[in-house]
Amino acid sequence: MNIDCPLPADIEDTIRLGHGSGGELSQNLFRNYIYPYIKNPWLDQAHDSALLTIKGSQLVFTTDSFVITPLFFPGGDIGELAVYGTVNDLAMSGARPMYLSCSLILEEGLPLNTLKRIMASMGRAAAQTGVHLVTGDTKVVERGKGDGLYINTAGIGVLEHEQEIGPGAIRAGDRILLSGDIGRHGMAVMASREGLSFDTSLHSDCAPLHEPVRDLLAAGIQVHCLRDLTRGGLATALVELANARGVSVEVQESAVPIDESVEGACELLGLDPLYVANEGRFVVFVPEEEEKAALDILRCHSVSAGSQRIGLVTATGRTGVILKNSLGCERLLDLLQGEQLPRIC
């Protein structure tokens, strides 16, 4: 009897798409299989980027990978998504983005004109945001093993202020400001991928966020925390921050703007827009007395013109995010379970 035939691995012992969702499975992956082996004070910052002090200078360092399909989607493409996404991670730490790397993993058979369009897009996005692509790498994998093109980026920025910005600075009473309507990116990519059409066109919100953040800081606004809303959407970001700081958060459902086209697409596909990814939206935690001034600045920028307060931090020592509707009913938000929309960023 041949006893060498391999047995199928238990699904619980293998990577699933949900491990890339940014939700509960992702957190388990980090907590049990990654962080224990590379634990250090910089990872403990639990921020979009790591704050590094080198010979008196405060630098911010981040990295990201982009595996979106399709490569071109309504409102953007993988090239500008890679630049904006990395710039936004630096901006969410309060840093001025300066330098990026670009590592390309190309699949055999990718049309060179496609690569040319994507690199031109990256160049335009870099010029728009004032960063420089200063180093990189290129690898080619066999046909059928690369899905066209993957991009990995890393970014370096510099802190030019004395503020502490991160989950550790969140305080009870902080107001939570949202920069605009949610869910556009995830639904635009999904509609394009699946060939869905709606009465109104869906376009991604893919955009750089460094300018409104820069102006908040230049005006001396006390910014306690910033977070861009990517995988897992608004709900996952708020739950992550509440858990990281150990605070209770209350959000008014009626204050969260959702475009009718996004709402309709979510209803059709059975998705919760609170968990759908964005690539041009962020939340800001500020003290109550800073709310009006912060909103006035945010609303001066087209990318955050729809800013409004959606909730507040109600207490420390208790962890949770409560969504209240217009009837006063409450719903406890949790991390995204499984994967709603894979391969969208």
Side-chain angles (χ1 to χ4, degrees), residues 27 29-40 43 46:
Q27 297 302 315
L29 184 71
F30 303 150
R31 188 165 52 243
N32 298 318
Y33 295 93
I34 297 177
Y35 288 160
Y37 305 101
I38 56 174
K39 184 176 177 59
N40 60 59
L43 281 176

Side-chain angles (χ1 to χ4, degrees), residues 241-303:
L241 294 173
N243 290 343
R245 181 63 179 97
V247 295
S248 178
V249 167
E250 181 179 297
V251 175
Q252 295 296 325
E253 185 175 32
S254 59
V256 178
I258 304 171
D259 186 81
E260 286 184 1
S261 61
V262 171
E263 200 161 25
C266 285
E267 287 179 2
L268 180 66
L269 298 172
L271 301 174
D272 186 342
L274 294 173
Y275 290 90
V276 174
N278 313 267
E279 288 294 343
R281 296 289 183 260
F282 66 112
V283 289
V284 189
F285 289 68
V286 296
E288 179 182 7
E289 61 272 20
E290 300 277 29
E291 175 186 334
K292 182 180 183 307
L295 285 173
D296 287 345
I297 292 170
L298 292 171
R299 288 168 179 166
C300 289
H301 294 270
S302 59
V303 73

Side-chain angles (χ1 to χ4, degrees), residues 12-72:
E12 297 298 330
D13 296 329
T14 59
I15 290 291
R16 286 178 274 163
L17 278 174
H19 284 114
S21 69
E24 183 66 31
L25 280 176
S26 295
Q27 297 302 315
N28 286 336
L29 184 71
F30 303 150
R31 188 165 52 243
N32 298 318
Y33 295 93
I34 297 177
Y35 288 160
Y37 305 101
I38 56 174
K39 184 176 177 59
N40 60 59
W42 295 277
L43 281 176
D44 289 344
Q45 294 170 3
H47 212 349
D48 283 332
S49 309
L51 172 60
L52 310 173
T53 301
I54 302 176
K55 294 185 176 180
S57 297
Q58 287 197 305
L59 302 179
V60 173
F61 182 44
T62 190
T63 187
D64 209 339
S65 296
F66 300 87
V67 296
I68 190 170
T69 180
L71 299 177
F72 301 89

Side-chain angles (χ1 to χ4, degrees), residues 1-5:
M1 181 175 64
N2 180 8
I3 59 174
D4 294 331
C5 180

Side-chain angles (χ1 to χ4, degrees), residues 191-214:
S192 176
R193 184 189 304 171
E194 303 300 330
L196 303 177
S197 61
F198 302 95
D199 292 339
T200 55
S201 59
L202 272 171
H203 284 80
S204 168
D205 56 17
C206 181
L209 303 171
H210 64 300
E211 290 186 341
V213 172
R214 177 200 61 197

